[in-house]
Amino acid sequence: MNPKSSFSYERFFDLTPDLVCVAGYDGYFKKINPSVCQLLEYSEEELYSRPINEFIHPEDRPITQVKRKNLQAAKPLINFENRYLTKSGKTVWLSWTSWPIPDQEVVFAIAKEVTQKKKLETKREDLLKSLSEKNEELRQLTYITAHDLRAPVSSILSVFELLDLDKIEDQETADLIQLIKRSTLGLKENLNKYLHLIAEKDNSSTKEELLNFSEVFHQVLVAIQPLIQSSEAILEADFTQSPEIHYNRLYLESIFLNLISNSIKYRQEGITPQVKIKTDRLKGRTVLSVKDNGQGMDLAQVEGKLFGKNQTFHQHPDSKGIGLYLISKHISSAGGKIQVESEIGKGSTFTITF
């Protein structure tokens, strides 16, 4: 007996813990396994009778509709995350991998629940944000304390200068006053040291040096090589017009890292990501441009928010709204500016004038 003939694919469909379904181009479920009913808390009849869109979290419906159109255009969907609402009102996160079958006008999809992972990510981000804020508060408190204590310390030292120790007959008292004066002088010196160390640490983060664009660029490429390889991205770089710049190394690395990784992360499905980086000299200033063929953006919708903190405009799981914010801060702190040209479906070009 052929073992293949006795194997029940229907049983595999029913027993798998993953959510497996067949959806029609009309937006309705055509077939679902028991895991879908168990997670969403609806019966098969309820899930079959209502449009899939009704079970999706309202905030995620627009991006899901975009992905659905891509599927109908024969573009597979890999690791797309969105939220669904259960019958009892709970929000669950699902990560979808879907394949369209155009001749039958259906989509075969498998999903894994990633609610716990998303909660952990959110908790981690909240903790990091809180830690960062606390560190900044402590830094400011240290600076203020060291700075403001110098005034009363200086006042105490002024009092010592007014004292005439020759008029103090008790030698033990005179020695005690001298001891207090030396201790106060030591306190002032320590406060000055703390202020110097704080200022030195702040300045070290903005220290500028002569940098070679190509050298920094290739150093960043090493860090994101796995991302480049997995996406098969094509990168072209031309720094001949302006090969060097006096700038902070950490800032330039961050600019390259964020712009290149964003270009790859927000690529168009089914299209090999291409990123073109070049430098120019315009009106005596160095200009860096990073152009991609990615998803692009509607600039009218993101106007005034693009470089804001925690602003996200794509549903990529790694979108945190920090990269462009950091780039903007790096550039503005050094007196430069950043501009963007973008169109949905045609990619984006970021231009930095140092």
Side-chain angles (χ1 to χ4, degrees), residues 283-346:
K283 298 181 179 180
R285 304 186 73 174
T286 299
V287 177
L288 171 70
S289 65
V290 179
K291 181 179 181 180
D292 65 55
N293 63 341
Q295 298 177 26
M297 298 172 286
D298 183 346
L299 293 180
Q301 291 187 358
V302 303
E303 185 177 5
K305 299 184 292 184
L306 184 59
F307 299 105
K309 191 175 183 181
N310 297 325
Q311 296 291 330
T312 58
F313 310 100
H314 295 284
Q315 291 297 316
H316 193 281
D318 289 337
S319 297
K320 308 301 179 187
I322 298 297
L324 291 181
Y325 169 79
L326 289 175
I327 289 175
S328 176
K329 289 297 182 182
H330 295 336
I331 296 167
S332 62
S333 67
K337 64 178 181 178
I338 181 170
Q339 298 170 296
V340 59
E341 297 176 9
S342 187
E343 187 175 346
I344 293 179
K346 294 187 178 180

Side-chain angles (χ1 to χ4, degrees), residues 10-22:
E10 188 73 22
R11 186 180 181 189
F12 172 79
F13 184 88
D14 290 338
L15 293 179
T16 179
D18 291 335
L19 283 69
V20 184
C21 67
V22 179

Side-chain angles (χ1 to χ4, degrees), residues 188-251:
K188 182 178 181 180
E189 290 177 3
N190 284 334
L191 289 174
N192 287 333
K193 287 180 182 178
Y194 293 150
L195 284 172
H196 176 72
L197 288 173
I198 294 171
E200 191 177 61
K201 186 174 182 180
D202 287 344
N203 290 335
S204 65
S205 63
T206 55
K207 180 182 177 181
E208 293 186 358
E209 57 184 297
L210 182 62
L211 301 173
N212 181 281
F213 275 110
S214 181
E215 185 266 325
V216 176
F217 170 71
H218 284 94
Q219 183 176 346
V220 170
L221 291 190
V222 172
I224 59 173
Q225 196 60 37
L227 177 63
I228 296 173
Q229 290 181 342
S230 63
S231 64
E232 299 181 342
I234 298 174
L235 276 67
E236 299 177 17
D238 180 7
F239 304 114
T240 55
Q241 297 300 312
S242 185
E244 296 179 327
I245 186 174
H246 271 94
Y247 205 64
N248 177 265
R249 175 177 287 274
L250 293 177
Y251 284 6

Side-chain angles (χ1 to χ4, degrees), residues 65-262:
Q65 182 62 25
V66 172
K67 299 298 182 181
R68 186 177 293 129
K69 289 182 178 179
N70 288 340
L71 282 167
Q72 294 176 5
K75 298 178 181 178
L77 185 63
I78 308 296
N79 298 331
F80 168 65
E81 295 180 353
N82 65 354
R83 291 168 289 178
Y84 275 66
L85 296 175
T86 68
K87 192 172 184 176
S88 61
K90 293 187 298 184
T91 298
V92 293
W93 278 92
L94 298 177
S95 177
W96 293 93
T97 298
S98 309
W99 293 270
I101 306 176
D103 59 336
Q104 299 181 33
E105 294 191 347
V106 295
V107 174
F108 184 81
I110 299 176
K112 291 182 179 292
E113 186 189 0
V114 292
T115 306
Q116 186 61 26
K117 186 194 79 168
K118 300 298 290 189
K119 288 181 179 178
L120 291 174
E121 288 178 355
T122 301
K123 185 177 181 180
R124 182 189 63 184
E125 290 166 15
D126 290 343
L127 287 173
L128 289 174
K129 181 180 178 182
S130 176
L131 181 61
S132 177
E133 291 174 351
K134 293 299 182 184
N135 283 340
E136 179 61 21
E137 290 174 3
L138 287 173
R139 192 189 70 83
Q140 290 293 336
L141 179 61
T142 302
Y143 183 86
I144 291 170
T145 302
H147 181 273
D148 291 356
L149 279 179
R150 290 195 308 167
V153 168
S154 296
S155 297
I156 294 173
L157 289 172
S158 297
V159 172
F160 284 122
E161 294 299 324
L162 296 174
L163 288 175
D164 188 352
L165 296 180
D166 293 335
K167 294 182 179 180
I168 299 176
E169 297 180 356
D170 182 58
Q171 187 60 42
E172 185 176 351
T173 300
D175 292 342
L176 183 59
I177 292 175
Q178 287 286 12
L179 177 61
I180 296 173
K181 181 179 180 181
R182 287 195 298 271
S183 298
T184 307
L185 283 169
L187 176 59
K188 182 178 181 180
E189 290 177 3
N190 284 334
L191 289 174
N192 287 333
K193 287 180 182 178
Y194 293 150
L195 284 172
H196 176 72
L197 288 173
I198 294 171
E200 191 177 61
K201 186 174 182 180
D202 287 344
N203 290 335
S204 65
S205 63
T206 55
K207 180 182 177 181
E208 293 186 358
E209 57 184 297
L210 182 62
L211 301 173
N212 181 281
F213 275 110
S214 181
E215 185 266 325
V216 176
F217 170 71
H218 284 94
Q219 183 176 346
V220 170
L221 291 190
V222 172
I224 59 173
Q225 196 60 37
L227 177 63
I228 296 173
Q229 290 181 342
S230 63
S231 64
E232 299 181 342
I234 298 174
L235 276 67
E236 299 177 17
D238 180 7
F239 304 114
T240 55
Q241 297 300 312
S242 185
E244 296 179 327
I245 186 174
H246 271 94
Y247 205 64
N248 177 265
R249 175 177 287 274
L250 293 177
Y251 284 6
L252 186 58
E253 289 177 355
S254 178
I255 290 170
F256 273 135
L257 180 66
N258 282 288
L259 289 182
I260 294 172
S261 60
N262 279 355

